[in-house]
Amino acid sequence: MALLEVLFYLLIPTFVLIHLFASPYTKVEESFNIQAIHDILIHGIPTENPSQFFTANYDHVSFPGSVPRTFTGALMLSGLSRPFVGFFGSGGQLQMLVRAVLGLSNSIALMWFATSVKKAFGTSAAIWYSLFQASQFHVIYYASRTLPNMFAFIFSTIALKCLLKAYALPRSSTSVPRSYRLCLYLLTISGVIFRSELAILVATITLYLFVTRRISIISVIIPAGLGGLIIGLLCTISIDSFFWQSIPLWPEWTAFYYNTIQGHSADWGVSPWYFYFLNALPRLLMNPLTFMLCIPIAALNSATRGSSLSLLIPLLSFVGLYSFLPHKEWRFIIYIIPGLTAVAAAGASWIWTRRAKSVIYGILSLALIGSVLLSFAVSTALLAISSLNYPGGTALDYLHLRLDHPENRHMKVYFDNLACQTGVTRFLENHDGLQTVIDVLEAQDIANKRVWIYSKTEDPDVLLDPVFWLDFDYVLAERPEKVIGSWNVVHTVYGFGGVRILKPGEKNGETEMSHTSEGAGSEIAQVTSRIARTWKTIEGILRDKVLRGWWAEIKMEPKINILANERGSHPSI
């Protein structure tokens, strides 16, 4: 493998890590897994009295959610991260570590998939695949985020790699049935454990392979289906029955029954049937030339038609069938993006190799290069905007690192709903001193130890009780007027509030905002602060030298207020 080719492949993990460091906090959709990983790494797995141990230490007991979710991904990621824990000294560093391990796992799967693109369509196609994939915002940004979809994405990408490898081999090859079986094994296992929608993708791929006489029921379908089902069930039921202390428990079936059969997914919104085709897929592919030019060329060109259609038909059939469900989100179909990107790369390669043959191919080749550069630019802009959507995490870092706190006393903090949804995790809590309920009960002398205690209850009756608020030192709240008692707003954290076009000569809005904790000691705060300063410099150069005064300003709005109880001494800012 040529060095230049490897460098193109390495664009994928490079940009995954860039997105991670630029936007290190998490959102509510990632909450279950990131909290579960924290609890496994920090508190360990009990060998006796598990129910009591989980109640005292684990977040999922206090906040189980509407349906149980699998611990399999959290356990897997904790195990991969465990050898490196000793090299990191804070919760913020550990959070970035586990996200980096997940992001690199997805990157390895994507790079491995690129090797099958090379076998099926050639080296040029593999390079174009790497460029297209690295410049796609959603795949790269979410590759390190602990959504269940991104755990499943590892397996689905490797499965598509096996599928494309089989297409590249002669049908008579003995490796072909094995590759098909492995593809269906992996998709079935990940569907059983992580995301039930993958059952539809298994069905469309299986049906296509069977109709085109590539597989048989006896040699591939039954072994792959039964084997994947049994392995998946053994993993999830054994692991989740233990962690949830409910036997037997299959979380993904429970979620499927709740959301699909009972129809609760519609409670989160209903989208029109064409949403995936006209909205989600163009956004996920990012580069308009991939779906407007490259994919059609790959499907029509005789040299690439066979493998291209063999990918497109089952993948797009999956999207078509899934469109019948009323609630739609782009992350439900993200698994097919590597496959569609591979087909687009085949079309781009066909154009590129003919760039010297005619003016039209030369112009199209230049357009492809320009579209990739534009996609990287748009992806960078989306990264800058998306990094501003985590005021809860920023506020918690500011509370710990920028405010002075009395020594030798317990500090009690309450997080409201918005703070919990926008970055607050147990990794970011201050664990100096005692960490858990058991620590407090077993400690001989806690009078001289500062203990941080956190609450995020959502019980409306409790929140309306004035007595509840008396013991808190700080509150992270979206609306201070809803907090009962006498409080001072000691700091306000701002977040993304929209975009405004600035004309030449028009000044940026002077907003007293705090997206990052400048000068704070947190690794996350330091990274985001440096990125913010760098972006400010780039913004000035681009506006003055390139865009002749025009600019798109990101508006910031107050999101989270840090409130200090008036009964105590006020901290200095």
Side-chain angles (χ1 to χ4, degrees):
M1 188 181 296
L3 176 60
L4 181 62
E5 183 184 339
V6 173
L7 292 177
F8 278 107
Y9 290 172
L10 289 176
L11 287 175
I12 295 172
T14 298
F15 278 92
V16 166
L17 293 178
I18 288 173
H19 282 63
L20 163 61
F21 288 119
S23 185
Y25 298 112
T26 63
K27 272 286 187 72
V28 63
E29 296 88 353
E30 308 157 58
S31 177
F32 171 78
N33 279 307
I34 201 69
Q35 307 288 46
I37 294 166
H38 167 275
D39 294 340
I40 293 171
L41 284 178
I42 300 299
H43 303 301
I45 301 173
T47 56
E48 57 184 21
N49 299 323
S51 182
Q52 179 183 357
F53 187 90
F54 290 142
T55 301
N57 296 285
Y58 274 54
D59 185 80
H60 75 287
V61 177
S62 301
F63 300 92
S66 54
V67 292
R69 284 141 293 178
T70 183
F71 270 84
T72 306
L75 189 63
M76 177 178 69
L77 193 53
S78 299
L80 292 174
S81 304
R82 173 68 69 181
F84 309 101
V85 167
F87 297 100
F88 299 90
S90 69
Q93 290 179 342
L94 289 180
Q95 178 168 300
M96 296 182 75
L97 166 67
V98 297
R99 284 191 54 201
V101 171
L102 176 59
L104 291 175
S105 298
N106 273 307
S107 298
I108 291 170
L110 290 169
M111 290 190 293
W112 199 13
F113 179 80
T115 62
S116 285
V117 175
K118 178 181 178 180
K119 290 179 180 178
F121 301 118
T123 301
S124 175
I127 291 174
W128 278 107
Y129 166 79
S130 301
L131 290 170
F132 286 153
Q133 192 72 79
S135 61
Q136 289 172 357
F137 171 73
H138 287 84
V139 171
I140 300 301
Y141 185 78
Y142 284 89
S144 67
R145 298 194 168 273
T146 55
L147 294 165
N149 310 78
M150 300 319 297
F151 288 103
F153 189 77
I154 301 172
F155 296 93
S156 66
T157 301
I158 298 174
L160 290 183
K161 182 262 180 195
C162 297
L163 184 65
L164 187 55
K165 175 186 175 183
Y167 290 155
L169 295 172
R171 288 200 182 191
S172 59
S173 173
T174 56
S175 298
V176 170
R178 186 164 59 249
S179 293
Y180 288 141
R181 277 197 300 271
L182 183 55
C183 169
L184 298 179
Y185 269 128
L186 292 172
L187 287 176
T188 303
I189 290 170
S190 55
V192 168
I193 296 175
F194 297 112
R195 293 299 307 183
S196 59
E197 65 261 19
L198 285 171
I200 302 176
L201 184 57
V202 172
T204 58
I205 291 176
T206 302
L207 183 60
Y208 177 80
L209 294 177
F210 180 72
V211 169
T212 56
R213 299 183 179 181
R214 298 171 186 264
I215 60 174
S216 67
I217 295 176
I218 301 298
S219 64
V220 176
I221 297 177
I222 291 178
L226 284 180
L229 179 64
I230 292 171
I231 293 172
L233 287 177
L234 286 175
C235 288
T236 186
I237 291 177
S238 60
I239 291 171
D240 295 309
S241 295
F242 172 74
F243 279 98
W244 288 96
Q245 290 293 288
S246 176
I247 303 175
L249 179 64
W250 178 10
E252 196 53 31
W253 165 254
T254 305
F256 174 78
Y257 182 81
Y258 179 83
N259 290 317
T260 304
I261 296 178
Q262 293 186 329
H264 287 288
S265 64
D267 297 343
W268 302 99
V270 174
S271 301
W273 66 269
Y274 53 79
F275 171 81
Y276 286 133
F277 289 102
L278 298 184
N279 187 309
L281 283 177
R283 281 195 295 146
L284 288 169
L285 290 169
M286 179 67 74
N287 189 331
L289 290 188
T290 57
F291 53 87
M292 295 177 65
L293 175 67
C294 297
I295 289 178
I297 285 178
L300 295 173
N301 174 37
S302 59
T304 57
R305 183 187 303 134
S307 295
S308 296
L309 291 178
S310 294
L311 279 176
L312 291 174
I313 291 173
L315 298 186
L316 294 181
S317 297
F318 159 71
V319 178
L321 290 174
Y322 205 56
S323 295
F324 284 101
L325 292 180
H327 177 62
K328 300 175 178 66
E329 295 184 36
W330 60 262
R331 60 190 177 96
F332 297 160
I333 63 166
I334 195 172
Y335 322 105
I336 72 168
I337 295 304
L340 297 187
T341 305
V343 176
S349 174
W350 193 82
I351 294 171
W352 180 255
T353 55
R354 287 158 179 77
R355 64 189 181 280
K357 292 185 176 182
S358 73
V359 175
I360 293 177
Y361 287 127
I363 293 173
L364 290 178
S365 297
L366 289 175
L368 284 173
I369 295 174
S371 69
V372 169
L373 295 175
L374 182 60
S375 294
F376 275 116
V378 173
S379 183
T380 302
L382 291 175
L383 171 61
I385 292 173
S386 298
S387 67
L388 304 177
N389 284 316
Y390 304 88
T394 303
L396 184 54
D397 264 343
Y398 193 98
L399 170 65
H400 288 148
L401 301 162
R402 294 295 302 278
L403 300 181
D404 294 332
H405 312 290
E407 294 292 336
N408 303 326
R409 62 169 287 188
H410 296 203
M411 309 300 295
K412 195 170 182 180
V413 184
Y414 175 76
F415 307 130
D416 79 348
N417 188 51
L418 182 62
C420 293
Q421 289 185 353
T422 58
V424 167
T425 68
R426 301 191 78 182
F427 275 113
L428 300 185
E429 294 176 359
N430 193 327
H431 291 312
D432 290 341
L434 309 176
Q435 297 185 33
T436 69
V437 174
I438 289 181
D439 292 334
V440 175
L441 293 177
E442 293 180 351
Q444 299 298 316
D445 177 19
I446 63 173
N448 295 320
K449 296 182 179 179
R450 179 193 295 167
V451 180
W452 288 82
I453 302 172
Y454 304 90
S455 173
K456 51 183 179 179
T457 181
E458 298 175 348
D459 189 327
D461 293 330
V462 172
L463 297 179
L464 290 175
D465 183 0
V467 177
F468 170 76
W469 300 98
L470 292 178
D471 289 337
F472 286 104
D473 298 280
Y474 297 101
V475 172
L476 272 58
E478 178 183 13
R479 298 174 60 185
E481 66 273 12
K482 297 183 69 174
V483 180
I484 299 173
S486 298
W487 300 85
N488 290 324
V489 177
V490 295
H491 187 69
T492 300
V493 176
Y494 285 68
F496 178 71
V499 176
R500 182 170 69 99
I501 302 298
L502 298 178
K503 298 178 181 179
E506 190 174 359
K507 294 183 178 181
N508 290 6
E510 296 296 328
T511 307
E512 289 294 331
M513 67 180 185
S514 176
H515 161 53
T516 59
S517 305
E518 296 184 7
S522 162
E523 294 77 15
I524 289 180
Q526 289 177 352
V527 168
T528 52
S529 178
R530 285 195 294 267
I531 291 172
R533 290 195 296 269
T534 303
W535 174 251
K536 200 70 177 176
T537 302
I538 295 173
E539 175 185 331
I541 296 172
L542 289 175
R543 184 178 184 186
D544 295 339
K545 305 298 184 182
V546 179
L547 300 176
R548 298 181 180 276
W550 290 87
W551 192 249
E553 178 190 45
I554 297 174
K555 295 189 294 184
M556 302 292 286
E557 297 176 349
K559 296 292 185 180
I560 301 291
N561 296 280
I562 302 178
L563 311 180
N565 199 323
E566 286 188 352
R567 62 170 169 73
S569 58
H570 298 170
S572 60
I573 300 176

